[in-house]
Amino acid sequence: MINGLTTSLVMPCRNEAKHLTQMVAELPDFYDEIICVSNKSTDDTVKLGKKLEKTNNRFHMYIDDRCASGIGYGYAHMTGIAHAKGDIIVCADSDCTYPVEDAPRILNEMKKRNLLLASCTRYPDSTIPFALQLGVKVLNFEMFLLYGVVIHDSLSGMWVFRRDVAPRLHLTEGDWNLSPQIKLNAHRYLGTRFGEVKIVQKTRQGETKQRYLKTGLGHLWWVAKNRFVQRKGVQPAD
Ligand SMILES: Nc1nc2c(ncn2[C@@H]2O[C@H](COP(=O)(O)OP(=O)(O)OP(=O)(O)O)[C@@H](O)[C@H]2O)c(=O)[nH]1
Ligand SMILES: [Mg+2]
């Protein structure tokens, strides 16, 4: 519980067995609920998750094996969010890169700034490889040109929001594009009550499954396409 609000942590998970148990053991007590959603894990992620469920009553393991071109990151998040019961939802990768222990600070800043959803920006951070920084900058600029969104980290994988705003986010993307979608939709439907809060990224545990160039090009195309197929009949923020 943070400031009297119950809090759920939602994590997509593919083949993170090597550090899952330790990561869960080290999570702060203020998380009332820890939701892990495996997508096509081929290692012991699900087995370990099911074992953890028996010993840790905060922990829940779900499986959502839906994929779009082999990726199910977005499906996993949507399933996790749908199951979350907390007043506050914190979404983050399960590779220990995001400082989920910062949730109280992030929520305090959200309160001060009257935000309903915060996307946690890793930038500026000079330790992030140049090619990744450049890719994110190109995408930030595309979002600015096409949507007028001023954003520093269009691909942050950590978001904090009140559960009751989840339906207003209209999340639909099952692959990596859920990440740009949540920011663009928060900007569209929450207006000034969407903002970024600075975090410091940590070292990844386990191996990456990311194909940076392919994913980056996929984002560039999706962000452009989405601009012209924006959902009709849904009212933007007032
Ligand atoms: N459910 C699901 N989770 C995935 C999938 N691919 C990766 N993940 C998880 O989603 C999170 C993000 O994936 P990462 O491989 O860390 O991708 P990234 O953060 O862009 O890149 P690196 O951290 O540099 O490897 C991790 O917690 C993965 O376990 C997938 O297709 N489905
Ligand atoms: Mg990662």
Side-chain angles (χ1 to χ4, degrees):
M1 193 129 25
I2 305 175
N3 298 339
L5 299 170
T6 55
T7 307
S8 302
L9 178 63
V10 169
M11 293 185 293
C13 210
R14 179 177 289 185
N15 296 342
E16 306 285 5
K18 280 188 193 145
H19 57 270
L20 183 69
T21 307
Q22 191 177 347
M23 178 187 69
V24 172
E26 288 171 4
L27 286 170
D29 290 343
F30 58 70
Y31 285 110
D32 301 275
E33 185 178 56
I34 300 157
I35 294 179
C36 242
V37 187
S38 167
N39 181 271
K40 296 239 172 195
S41 291
T42 50
D43 67 359
D44 282 343
T45 297
V46 174
K47 198 170 137 195
L48 286 176
K50 291 284 171 196
K51 202 168 145 194
L52 273 173
E53 274 183 335
K54 292 194 183 118
T55 54
N56 183 337
N57 57 17
R58 295 193 292 167
F59 185 83
H60 305 281
M61 183 87 218
Y62 293 97
I63 301 169
D64 183 341
D65 282 337
R66 288 176 295 166
C67 276
S69 305
I71 305 299
Y73 169 84
Y75 287 121
H77 268 303
M78 288 188 279
T79 291
I81 292 167
H83 281 99
K85 294 189 187 67
D87 301 317
I88 301 293
I89 299 180
V90 177
C91 292
D93 294 357
S94 55
D95 60 1
C96 305
T97 46
Y98 287 97
V100 293
E101 62 281 5
D102 285 2
R105 173 185 66 82
I106 294 164
L107 278 166
N108 281 340
E109 194 167 330
M110 287 172 69
K111 196 171 171 192
K112 272 190 223 144
R113 292 164 54 190
N114 199 24
L115 300 181
L116 291 173
L117 185 146
S119 181
C120 302
T121 174
R122 299 162 294 178
Y123 296 94
D125 181 345
S126 57
T127 64
I128 296 177
F130 177 76
L132 280 183
Q133 299 213 26
L134 186 67
V136 169
K137 279 200 165 97
V138 169
L139 209 66
N140 294 346
F141 187 59
E142 185 189 21
M143 285 190 176
F144 173 69
L145 279 183
L146 294 180
Y147 300 82
V149 187
V150 177
I151 196 157
H152 297 89
D153 192 356
S154 42
L155 294 184
S156 166
M158 181 172 173
W159 324 300
V160 181
F161 52 98
R162 277 181 21 192
R163 184 166 54 92
D164 57 9
V165 304
R168 292 167 68 186
L169 298 172
H170 304 285
L171 300 175
T172 54
E173 297 302 309
D175 60 13
W176 295 118
N177 286 314
L178 186 91
S179 179
Q181 185 182 44
I182 195 167
K183 290 137 198 149
L184 290 175
N185 286 2
H187 168 77
R188 181 167 161 84
Y189 300 118
L190 306 180
T192 54
R193 300 197 72 187
F194 159 64
E196 288 183 296
V197 172
K198 179 77 176 84
I199 51 156
V200 177
Q201 193 178 27
K202 302 187 289 186
T203 311
R204 194 193 200 294
Q205 299 298 308
E207 281 131 40
T208 184
K209 295 112 204 157
Q210 192 53 277
R211 295 167 68 187
Y212 296 105
L213 186 62
K214 184 170 182 254
T215 305
L217 291 173
H219 285 316
L220 272 180
W221 167 241
W222 180 85
V223 168
K225 191 179 67 170
N226 182 64
R227 173 68 183 81
F228 302 102
V229 292
Q230 290 244 353
R231 171 187 298 261
K232 292 192 181 76
V234 181
Q235 292 304 311
D238 34 46

